[in-house]
Amino acid sequence: MQQSQSVLQQVSGKPEILNVIPAAAGPRLATARGGAIHSIRQPGSQTLTAENHFAAVMLAPAQRIRAALGSDRIQEYDAARGAIVIQPAHVEGRAEWTSTRENLIVAIRSESLLDLAVGELDVGEVALQPPAFGTVDLKALRLAELLKMELTQQEPPSELYVDSLITLFGIHLLRSYSAARKQPAEVKGGLSAASARRIQEFLHENFTRKMTVAELAAIADLSPHYFIRAFTKKFGQPPHQYVLGLRLSFAEKLLGDSNLTVADVAYLCGFSSQSHLTAVMRRHRHITPAEIRVRR
């Protein structure tokens, strides 16, 4: 388990966005849009001012938290499971807690949230309006639970999936906790035939490398939120699962048709290691690379 934890601690892109939270807090992953941490911390305190936006969702109840946001007035409150704290960029936040605290922390780069505001709400500025301490947000909790599952599994987390969840979390913040609360249009027709063909061709040519939701949405000429929903409607699965399927199919072909080592196949197909490929293939295809080699 310790080895799995060390793998999960590795981050990509611009990992410094998460450095304000101690490394010992828990597994984390940075993406192009921000980052996420599954945090379990013993009783203590923290003062934080960051140039990016942060939100924390409680995954277990905690009593007698003392906190202040943007002022010197300390408030004491009990946090239920699903309670959310939003700390906008450049606003000081302070907290003290007397029992073990488990939460999911989402960091979103200031420029990324602004990009979402322009694309989703057609506004050129972001003014987050944090709710009162103790406010429970069930939608944020659902996204937090999905992020926790991805960060704490045995195999390395999918950067594309985490980036997708952070994108949806950012849009939720804009829709629920900002001055502009316009609702995105519902997906009716999904991707057009031309857009679907473009994105499908791109994925088949680039599935072995890292990619972001923003990059894929731009190819389809859609906003990130609309893209995720339209892609899922068109192909019957979200982008990260589609990409994973392409990688696994390519790995099966290489394992059956070549004499490459399993480690080389894993690298060529976009997996972090031989053990990563083996774990994912066993989970999703119910077979291992070794078994494929025996059958050929």
Side-chain angles (χ1 to χ4, degrees):
M1 184 63 181
Q2 186 172 358
Q3 182 179 3
S4 175
Q5 285 286 87
S6 66
V7 171
L8 289 175
Q9 295 289 349
Q10 296 175 3
V11 295
S12 58
K14 297 179 179 179
E16 70 278 0
I17 190 174
L18 302 177
N19 288 350
V20 294
I21 307 298
R28 60 193 63 202
L29 183 73
T31 73
R33 196 170 295 283
I37 303 172
H38 173 238
S39 172
I40 298 180
R41 301 182 67 180
Q42 300 303 314
S45 63
Q46 176 174 293
T47 299
L48 171 66
T49 304
E51 58 185 35
N52 298 294
H53 307 288
F54 278 79
V57 181
M58 297 298 296
L59 298 177
Q63 295 182 328
R64 299 184 63 184
I65 296 177
R66 291 169 49 83
L69 187 63
S71 75
D72 293 328
R73 188 166 69 91
I74 298 289
Q75 300 179 55
E76 183 173 303
Y77 68 99
D78 294 336
R81 182 169 176 270
I84 187 171
V85 174
I86 299 171
Q87 184 173 342
H90 307 294
V91 173
E92 182 184 77
R94 289 182 288 157
E96 302 173 5
W97 56 98
T98 58
S99 59
T100 300
R101 187 178 68 167
E102 179 187 9
N103 56 26
L104 194 290
I105 300 170
V106 175
I108 304 180
R109 305 183 198 286
S110 297
E111 63 272 21
S112 293
L113 196 62
L114 178 59
D115 178 66
L116 287 176
V118 172
E120 302 294 337
L121 306 179
D122 195 27
V123 296
E125 61 180 0
V126 173
L128 290 178
Q129 300 172 342
F133 289 124
T135 298
V136 172
D137 186 327
L138 295 180
K139 182 165 185 177
L141 176 60
R142 288 195 295 272
L143 292 171
E145 289 174 333
L146 291 173
L147 283 164
K148 174 188 174 179
M149 288 176 59
E150 188 66 16
L151 292 174
T152 57
Q153 64 178 346
Q154 290 295 320
E155 52 200 68
S158 163
E159 186 170 338
L160 181 58
Y161 183 40
V162 172
D163 193 55
S164 298
L165 292 174
I166 291 173
T167 297
L168 294 176
F169 197 97
I171 294 167
H172 175 60
L173 292 184
L174 291 170
R175 291 172 59 183
S176 303
Y177 305 106
S178 73
R181 301 183 181 183
K182 172 183 166 186
Q183 300 292 313
E186 289 296 318
V187 178
K188 295 181 180 180
L191 288 171
S192 67
S195 293
R197 185 170 57 254
R198 275 200 315 274
I199 196 66
Q200 196 170 32
E201 289 174 352
F202 178 84
L203 290 176
H204 279 262
E205 292 174 0
N206 296 276
F207 65 86
T208 61
R209 71 170 179 84
K210 292 181 179 180
M211 57 189 74
T212 66
V213 173
E215 180 183 14
L216 298 178
I219 293 169
D221 197 25
L222 297 172
S223 72
H225 179 264
Y226 192 99
F227 169 76
I228 293 171
R229 299 177 68 192
F231 185 100
T232 303
K233 183 179 180 69
K234 178 69 175 179
F235 294 102
Q237 56 187 166
H240 75 279
Q241 289 185 0
Y242 188 93
V243 171
L244 182 61
L246 293 176
R247 290 177 175 176
L248 287 173
S249 294
F250 187 43
E252 288 185 16
K253 178 176 174 58
L254 290 179
L255 289 166
D257 297 345
S258 75
N259 292 319
L260 292 169
T261 67
V262 177
D264 286 340
V265 169
Y267 174 77
L268 290 172
C269 295
F271 294 96
S272 61
S273 65
Q274 176 177 333
S275 60
H276 183 202
L277 169 61
T278 300
V280 174
M281 186 170 284
R282 181 186 292 115
R283 178 181 176 186
H284 294 278
R285 297 291 171 90
H286 309 294
I287 195 171
T288 67
E291 290 170 341
I292 293 176
R293 280 280 160 86
V294 169
R295 291 181 180 184
R296 71 175 187 173

